Amino acid sequence: MNNQDFSLKKNIYSLIITFTTFLLVTIAARRNLMLTFGLYGIIGLSSYFLSKHRIPNIEKKLIVILTIILSIPLGWLYFQYQKDNTFSLITDRVADNNREEVFLYFFSDMTNQDFIIGKGIYGTYFAPGIDGEILDDTYDERGFIECGYLQIILKGGLINLILLLAIFIPAIFKGYKSSNNTFSKVAASIIAVYLIDLLPFGLPVFDPKYIMVWMCVSICYNKDIRKMSNEEIRELLISQ
């Protein structure tokens, strides 16, 4: 979020970690995580280059060169081993539609009242055979669905979803449009990535990422933080 304030060495380290993570989730064929970390990488690079803070041209060139150096081997590895064990899983799953049946069960089991107020924190829907390989066909009720938005509706209905969006969407606009520093803008970007992530999977769970999103919401709503300049943010962070 504040990579423009740190050394080139730390930024290169962060870039390598992001690419490595992207590579690992690609091998594991986690398409939703590929989207998430890909967006994080794009946001990180964008905030680095678009920051009002002056960045030496040599650093920009080194970051671009490193990005190309990391991207070319990734592309080569995929096309070289896409039929091998390394990338065979993502090759097979890249266009695999494995959720349509689950969604049909979900919508057929939900009543109008369920869509409005949800089924509660322990709410389930009837989906026979979906988890059969895991649970030996002994349990056909599912308490989760592979779409964050539908998961929110399952537990709290459209009321819960509307209230959540009523908090998140204004936070994004405040972070982008009503802030004087990159820190707030990137906080808004992280919220936006979370809303995108809810579509392919992104189940809302109480984990460090979820806590980070709500911290970003508080940053975007905090007028004092939004009105700070990049220099003031940098001084505050470095001093701490």
Side-chain angles (χ1 to χ4, degrees), residues 146-182:
E146 290 81 349
C147 173
Y149 289 105
L150 295 181
Q151 180 72 11
I152 294 171
I153 293 174
L154 174 65
K155 303 300 182 179
L158 287 170
I159 293 176
N160 189 11
L161 178 60
I162 292 172
L163 289 173
L164 189 70
L165 294 178
I167 296 173
F168 282 5
I169 293 178
I172 294 173
F173 278 98
K174 288 179 180 292
Y176 277 129
K177 299 295 185 179
S178 304
S179 64
N180 298 327
N181 57 77
T182 308

Side-chain angles (χ1 to χ4, degrees), residues 198-216:
L198 286 176
L199 188 61
F201 191 76
L203 298 184
V205 294
F206 191 70
D207 60 6
K209 184 177 76 171
Y210 193 66
I211 295 173
M212 179 182 69
V213 170
W214 280 102
M215 290 176 63
C216 291

Side-chain angles (χ1 to χ4, degrees), residues 24-72:
L24 292 176
V25 298
T26 301
I27 294 174
R30 305 308 302 173
R31 292 170 293 181
N32 61 299
L33 292 177
M34 291 172 61
L35 173 65
T36 301
F37 282 99
L39 290 173
Y40 280 151
I42 293 172
I43 290 173
L45 287 172
S46 299
S47 67
Y48 187 84
F49 286 108
L50 298 178
S51 171
K52 294 180 182 179
H53 178 50
R54 183 181 178 85
I55 302 171
N57 287 330
I58 184 64
E59 289 195 17
K60 292 183 179 181
K61 292 178 180 178
L62 286 174
I63 291 292
V64 171
I65 292 173
L66 181 63
T67 303
I68 295 174
I69 290 175
L70 289 171
S71 300
I72 292 177

Side-chain angles (χ1 to χ4, degrees), residues 29-202:
R30 305 308 302 173
R31 292 170 293 181
N32 61 299
L33 292 177
M34 291 172 61
L35 173 65
T36 301
F37 282 99
L39 290 173
Y40 280 151
I42 293 172
I43 290 173
L45 287 172
S46 299
S47 67
Y48 187 84
F49 286 108
L50 298 178
S51 171
K52 294 180 182 179
H53 178 50
R54 183 181 178 85
I55 302 171
N57 287 330
I58 184 64
E59 289 195 17
K60 292 183 179 181
K61 292 178 180 178
L62 286 174
I63 291 292
V64 171
I65 292 173
L66 181 63
T67 303
I68 295 174
I69 290 175
L70 289 171
S71 300
I72 292 177
L74 284 176
W76 180 84
L77 283 172
Y78 173 74
F79 288 108
Q80 185 74 15
Y81 298 102
Q82 59 178 325
K83 297 301 182 183
D84 198 357
N85 291 332
T86 307
F87 293 106
S88 60
L89 194 57
I90 185 60
T91 302
D92 294 336
R93 293 192 61 196
V94 65
D96 185 25
N97 180 9
N98 59 354
R99 295 179 182 174
E100 181 177 359
E101 186 178 7
V102 176
F103 292 160
L104 290 175
Y105 281 131
F106 175 84
F107 285 104
S108 64
D109 190 66
M110 296 283 286
T111 64
N112 291 335
Q113 177 178 305
D114 294 334
F115 273 107
I116 295 173
I117 63 174
K119 292 190 174 185
I121 191 170
Y122 299 112
T124 61
Y125 64 99
F126 184 66
I130 298 299
D131 295 326
E133 296 181 1
I134 302 175
L135 301 175
D136 299 325
D137 289 320
T138 58
Y139 194 67
D140 292 330
E141 294 287 336
R142 300 183 93 223
F144 69 94
I145 184 168
E146 290 81 349
C147 173
Y149 289 105
L150 295 181
Q151 180 72 11
I152 294 171
I153 293 174
L154 174 65
K155 303 300 182 179
L158 287 170
I159 293 176
N160 189 11
L161 178 60
I162 292 172
L163 289 173
L164 189 70
L165 294 178
I167 296 173
F168 282 5
I169 293 178
I172 294 173
F173 278 98
K174 288 179 180 292
Y176 277 129
K177 299 295 185 179
S178 304
S179 64
N180 298 327
N181 57 77
T182 308
F183 188 75
S184 299
K185 295 184 188 318
V186 179
S189 299
I190 289 178
I191 303 171
V193 170
Y194 179 73
L195 292 181
I196 295 173
D197 194 39
L198 286 176
L199 188 61
F201 191 76

